[in-house]
Amino acid sequence: MTDVEYLAKTRAMLDHIEAKIDEWLDSDVIDIDSHRSGGLLELSLPGGSKIILNTQAPLQELWMAARAGGFHFRFVDGLWLDTKTGAEFLSMLAAQASAQGGKPLNFSV
């Protein structure tokens, strides 16, 4: 994947996550505050916990830091997959956000 493709894919993913959070706020599903600065997206969940999503262009990875730990994802066959377990990014994000937010959340496209 070229650097331009990587940037487009990560930008689209962060855009998707922000749009989903905005949808939840509009529908009064959950109050998650988000703050984005370039390739870094910080999610502040109820209770004060955070999930940090960060692009890592030199490695062409997408990183997630959550209460349960840090996770690294690479784009493989159309999906962002965890480099250790092979788990899919949006599924892992949903699991972490659900655990930290106290209610089931789904980030699927």
Side-chain angles (χ1 to χ4, degrees):
M1 164 171 36
T2 68
D3 289 344
V4 171
E5 290 170 327
Y6 166 80
L7 291 173
K9 289 182 187 318
T10 54
R11 186 178 309 114
M13 180 60 74
L14 296 181
D15 288 348
H16 166 73
I17 293 164
E18 284 183 306
K20 184 61 83 171
I21 290 169
D22 288 343
E23 179 183 308
W24 290 337
L25 286 171
D26 290 343
S27 301
D28 202 27
V29 172
I30 190 168
D31 185 15
I32 298 176
D33 291 325
S34 64
H35 175 72
R36 187 165 170 183
S37 178
L40 179 106
L41 178 59
E42 181 178 302
L43 308 179
S44 299
L45 291 103
S49 70
K50 295 183 186 271
I51 295 175
I52 310 295
L53 307 174
N54 194 13
T55 59
Q56 293 295 316
L59 301 173
Q60 290 196 342
E61 291 182 350
L62 181 58
W63 290 3
M64 175 172 45
R67 191 183 296 156
F71 308 92
H72 299 188
F73 300 85
R74 281 200 193 108
F75 198 75
V76 179
D77 296 329
L79 297 171
W80 288 100
L81 302 177
D82 183 72
T83 58
K84 291 183 180 175
T85 66
E88 193 272 327
F89 172 74
L90 288 176
S91 295
M92 285 192 68
L93 176 59
Q96 298 307 313
S98 296
Q100 291 179 222
K103 61 173 36 182
L105 299 170
N106 185 344
F107 284 91
S108 295
V109 177

